Coordinates of all heavy atoms in Angstrom, one line a residue:
R33 N -1.6 -3.8 31.1 CA -2.7 -4.8 30.9 C -4.1 -4.1 30.8 O -5.1 -4.8 30.5 CB -2.8 -5.8 32.1 CG -3.1 -5.2 33.4 CD -3.2 -6.3 34.5 NE -3.7 -5.8 35.7 CZ -2.9 -5.4 36.7 NH1 -1.6 -5.4 36.6 NH2 -3.5 -5.0 37.8
C34 N -4.2 -2.8 30.9 CA -5.5 -2.1 30.8 C -5.7 -1.6 29.3 O -6.7 -1.0 29.0 CB -5.6 -0.9 31.7 SG -4.4 0.4 31.5
W35 N -4.8 -2.0 28.4 CA -4.9 -1.5 27.0 C -6.2 -1.9 26.4 O -6.8 -1.2 25.6 CB -3.7 -1.9 26.2 CG -3.6 -3.3 25.8 CD1 -2.9 -4.3 26.4 CD2 -4.3 -4.0 24.7 NE1 -3.1 -5.5 25.8 CE2 -3.9 -5.3 24.7 CE3 -5.1 -3.5 23.6 CZ2 -4.4 -6.2 23.8 CZ3 -5.5 -4.4 22.7 CH2 -5.2 -5.7 22.8
P36 N -6.8 -3.1 26.7 CA -8.1 -3.4 26.0 C -9.2 -2.4 26.4 O -10.1 -2.2 25.6 CB -8.4 -4.8 26.6 CG -7.1 -5.4 26.9 CD -6.3 -4.3 27.4
V37 N -9.1 -1.8 27.5 CA -10.2 -0.8 27.9 C -10.1 0.4 26.9 O -11.1 0.8 26.5 CB -10.0 -0.4 29.4 CG1 -10.9 0.8 29.7 CG2 -10.1 -1.5 30.3
F38 N -8.9 0.8 26.7 CA -8.7 1.9 25.7 C -9.1 1.5 24.3 O -9.7 2.3 23.6 CB -7.2 2.4 25.7 CG -6.8 3.2 26.9 CD1 -6.1 2.6 27.9 CD2 -7.2 4.5 27.0 CE1 -5.7 3.4 29.0 CE2 -6.9 5.3 28.1 CZ -6.1 4.7 29.1
L39 N -8.9 0.2 23.9 CA -9.4 -0.3 22.6 C -10.9 -0.2 22.5 O -11.4 0.2 21.5 CB -8.8 -1.7 22.4 CG -9.3 -2.4 21.1 CD1 -8.7 -1.6 19.9 CD2 -8.8 -3.8 21.1
V40 N -11.6 -0.8 23.5 CA -13.0 -0.8 23.5 C -13.6 0.7 23.5 O -14.5 1.0 22.8 CB -13.6 -1.6 24.7 CG1 -15.1 -1.4 24.9 CG2 -13.2 -3.0 24.6
M41 N -13.0 1.5 24.3 CA -13.4 2.9 24.3 C -13.2 3.6 23.0 O -14.0 4.4 22.5 CB -12.7 3.7 25.4 CG -13.2 3.3 26.8 SD -12.2 4.1 28.2 CE -11.9 5.7 27.6
G42 N -12.1 3.3 22.4 CA -11.8 3.8 21.0 C -12.7 3.4 20.0 O -13.2 4.1 19.2
L43 N -13.0 2.1 20.0 CA -14.0 1.5 19.1 C -15.4 2.1 19.3 O -16.1 2.4 18.3 CB -14.1 0.0 19.2 CG -12.8 -0.7 18.7 CD1 -12.9 -2.2 19.0 CD2 -12.6 -0.5 17.2
A44 N -15.8 2.3 20.6 CA -17.1 2.9 20.9 C -17.1 4.3 20.4 O -18.2 4.8 19.8 CB -17.3 2.8 22.4
G45 N -16.1 5.1 20.6 CA -16.0 6.5 20.1 C -16.2 6.6 18.6 O -16.9 7.4 18.1
C46 N -15.4 5.7 17.9 CA -15.5 5.7 16.4 C -16.9 5.3 15.9 O -17.4 5.8 15.0 CB -14.4 4.9 15.9 SG -12.8 5.6 16.1
L47 N -17.4 4.2 16.6 CA -18.8 3.8 16.2 C -19.8 4.9 16.4 O -20.6 5.2 15.6 CB -19.1 2.5 16.9 CG -20.5 1.9 16.6 CD1 -20.6 1.5 15.1 CD2 -20.8 0.8 17.5
G48 N -19.7 5.5 17.6 CA -20.6 6.6 17.9 C -20.5 7.7 17.0 O -21.4 8.4 16.6
S49 N -19.2 8.0 16.5 CA -19.0 9.0 15.5 C -19.7 8.8 14.2 O -20.2 9.7 13.6 CB -17.5 9.2 15.3 OG -17.2 10.1 14.3
L50 N -19.8 7.5 13.9 CA -20.5 7.2 12.6 C -22.0 7.2 12.8 O -22.7 7.4 11.8 CB -20.1 5.7 12.2 CG -18.7 5.5 11.8 CD1 -18.4 4.0 11.6 CD2 -18.4 6.3 10.5
L51 N -22.5 7.1 14.0 CA -24.0 7.0 14.2 C -24.7 8.3 14.5 O -25.9 8.3 14.4 CB -24.3 5.9 15.2 CG -23.8 4.5 14.9 CD1 -24.0 3.5 16.0 CD2 -24.4 4.0 13.6
V52 N -24.0 9.3 15.0 CA -24.7 10.5 15.4 C -24.9 11.4 14.3 O -24.2 11.4 13.3 CB -23.9 11.2 16.6 CG1 -23.8 10.4 17.8 CG2 -22.6 11.7 16.1
D53 N -26.0 12.2 14.4 CA -26.3 13.1 13.3 C -25.5 14.4 13.3 O -25.3 15.0 12.3 CB -27.8 13.4 13.3 CG -28.7 12.2 12.9 OD1 -28.2 11.4 12.1 OD2 -29.8 12.1 13.4
S54 N -25.2 14.9 14.5 CA -24.5 16.2 14.7 C -23.1 16.1 14.2 O -22.3 15.2 14.7 CB -24.6 16.6 16.1 OG -23.7 17.7 16.4
I55 N -22.7 16.9 13.3 CA -21.3 16.9 12.8 C -20.3 17.2 13.9 O -19.2 16.7 14.0 CB -21.1 17.9 11.6 CG1 -19.7 17.8 11.0 CG2 -21.3 19.3 12.1 CD1 -19.5 16.5 10.3
Y56 N -20.7 18.1 14.9 CA -19.8 18.5 15.9 C -19.6 17.3 16.9 O -18.5 17.0 17.3 CB -20.3 19.7 16.7 CG -20.5 20.8 15.7 CD1 -21.8 21.2 15.3 CD2 -19.4 21.5 15.1 CE1 -22.0 22.2 14.4 CE2 -19.6 22.5 14.2 CZ -20.9 22.9 13.8 OH -21.1 23.8 12.9

Side-chain angles (χ1 to χ4, degrees):
R33 68 179 186 264
C34 65
W35 74 266
V37 174
F38 285 103
L39 177 64
V40 170
M41 287 174 37
L43 291 172
C46 289
L47 179 64
S49 178
L50 293 171
L51 298 176
V52 298
D53 289 332
S54 169
I55 186 70
Y56 304 107

